[in-house]
Amino acid sequence: MAENLRHLRALQAFDETATHSSLTKAADVLNVTHGAISRQIKLLERHLGVTLFHRRPNGVELTKAGERLYHSTRGAFSALQLGVMEVKRLHHRQSITVSLSTSLALKWLVPLLGSFQKDHPGIALLLDTNDAFADFDMSEVDVALRFGEPGWNGLYHQQIRQEELIVVAAPSLVGKAHLPMRPEDVVDLPLLHDAFNVGWESWAAQVGLSADRISAQSIKYVDSAVLLEAAIDGQGVALARHLLAERDLELGRLIRLDESRIPLDRGLYFVCRPGDQDRVTVRIFLKWLMSV
């Protein structure tokens, strides 16, 4: 065992080289020189008595022996990385890393954080804004705020809010029009389209209009925050997520044009590793989220 551990640095050099199929990229990852990586691999090859790589003009390629070794080293170094991240994560119990979409951060969470910091000054929050779902197995994320349907096997989840769509626009767009507006008057205005949520056709069906009245000649927005900004700018009427529009409605940047509500089969969920919901800081954060 002691003899094998002497070559741990060489195994790490081998593993990174195999991962990237390049000595140069492995050197960049490990912050050493190309020559140092080459020497470590040659040392390992001499120790094992086998050739681990075929040298190619554009990089390196694993030999059969190299493939067998890489299968073991990748799992071992991945396990070490996960262990280090887990110890680090649990040690910093007074901080919480929260993964959430940029739209949710900008339009909902960030404007509310002042009250959390005031009530819990000893808890530091790190917001990881990313539209991709957080991988709890490969990251230091403690909590994810996800808009969707519960289907995250093996993870604890709790619904924070069921979502719905509402019709909103900038006051400048409608002028002195009487509110709530008639559906016929709403569709006479420019309609902004959300590429992710159900379209205006669902709204038309609810208010009794023919879908033929809905114009599709418009920009489609994938980012809900950008959709709302377009509406605030007076570019058109948005069928927006109620949760994300709340603050702009309160501040008068947007107004509701009618009383329709389009329910969604998705909601906002709090997601974390099983058992982490009982950590004091995570429990405090969840309780606060449920109260806002």
Side-chain angles (χ1 to χ4, degrees):
M1 177 65 74
E3 175 67 16
N4 290 334
L5 288 177
R6 286 174 51 194
H7 299 284
L8 186 60
R9 184 175 297 176
L11 286 168
Q12 187 181 24
F14 162 80
D15 184 76
E16 290 295 346
T17 302
T19 297
H20 299 286
S21 299
S22 167
L23 277 73
T24 301
K25 290 182 180 178
D28 291 340
V29 170
L30 297 177
N31 197 28
V32 296
T33 65
H34 180 283
I37 294 292
S38 181
R39 286 192 296 273
Q40 289 292 340
I41 290 174
K42 288 178 180 178
L43 173 67
L44 188 60
E45 288 179 326
R46 285 199 301 269
H47 174 69
L48 297 175
V50 296
T51 299
L52 297 172
F53 292 105
H54 297 300
R55 273 64 176 178
R56 306 297 188 201
N58 59 344
V60 294
E61 180 182 336
L62 286 166
T63 64
K64 292 294 184 183
E67 289 177 359
R68 287 194 293 270
L69 181 60
Y70 182 57
H71 180 75
S72 297
T73 61
R74 188 77 311 243
F77 281 110
S78 294
L80 282 170
Q81 183 182 27
L82 288 174
V84 169
M85 287 193 302
E86 184 69 3
V87 170
K88 182 179 177 182
R89 186 178 66 83
L90 293 177
H91 178 69
H92 294 88
R93 287 181 176 270
Q94 289 304 108
S95 66
I96 305 173
T97 298
V98 182
S99 171
L100 72 169
S101 70
T102 304
S103 294
L104 189 63
L106 288 174
K107 287 297 182 181
W108 183 66
L109 185 62
V110 170
L112 298 172
L113 285 182
S115 66
F116 181 81
Q117 293 174 323
K118 180 180 178 181
D119 294 340
H120 308 286
I123 300 178
L125 293 180
L126 172 63
L127 301 188
D128 180 5
T129 50
N130 193 320
D131 290 334
F133 277 175
D135 185 345
F136 283 94
D137 292 331
M138 298 300 294
S139 72
E140 297 181 22
V141 167
D142 296 298
V143 170
L145 300 180
R146 293 180 175 174
F147 175 60
E149 299 177 76
W152 307 295
N153 294 333
L155 296 173
Y156 173 86
H157 58 270
Q158 181 172 336
Q159 187 178 87
I160 298 173
R161 188 86 64 90
Q162 187 62 37
E163 264 286 38
E164 61 184 6
L165 301 179
I166 58 174
V167 179
V168 297
S172 60
L173 184 70
V174 299
K176 297 181 180 180
H178 178 72
L179 297 177
M181 293 178 66
R182 299 184 310 152
E184 294 84 355
D185 296 328
V186 172
V187 294
D188 283 339
L189 296 170
L191 303 182
L192 305 177
H193 293 262
D194 188 332
F196 183 64
N197 292 309
V198 295
W200 280 98
E201 291 78 7
S202 297
W203 171 83
Q206 185 182 103
V207 299
L209 278 184
S210 169
D212 295 339
R213 296 291 306 276
I214 304 300
S215 172
Q217 302 303 314
S218 176
I219 299 173
K220 286 190 176 182
Y221 296 89
V222 175
D223 190 309
S224 298
V226 178
L227 172 76
L228 285 169
E229 287 303 313
I232 292 169
D233 192 48
Q235 296 179 27
V237 183
L239 193 57
R241 287 169 54 188
H242 198 169
L243 180 69
L244 301 187
E246 279 181 353
R247 181 170 173 78
D248 291 318
L249 290 169
E250 291 172 0
L251 296 176
R253 293 193 287 244
L254 292 173
I255 56 174
R256 291 187 63 177
L257 301 193
D258 66 11
E259 298 176 355
S260 64
R261 298 173 183 269
I262 311 300
L264 295 176
D265 55 5
R266 290 159 287 163
L268 179 63
Y269 283 83
F270 173 98
V271 184
C272 67
R273 297 174 182 83
D276 272 11
Q277 71 273 17
D278 296 324
R279 284 174 49 192
V280 174
T281 49
V282 174
R283 190 168 68 245
I284 289 172
F285 183 57
L286 174 57
K287 183 178 179 181
W288 175 78
L289 286 173
M290 297 299 292
S291 70
V292 296

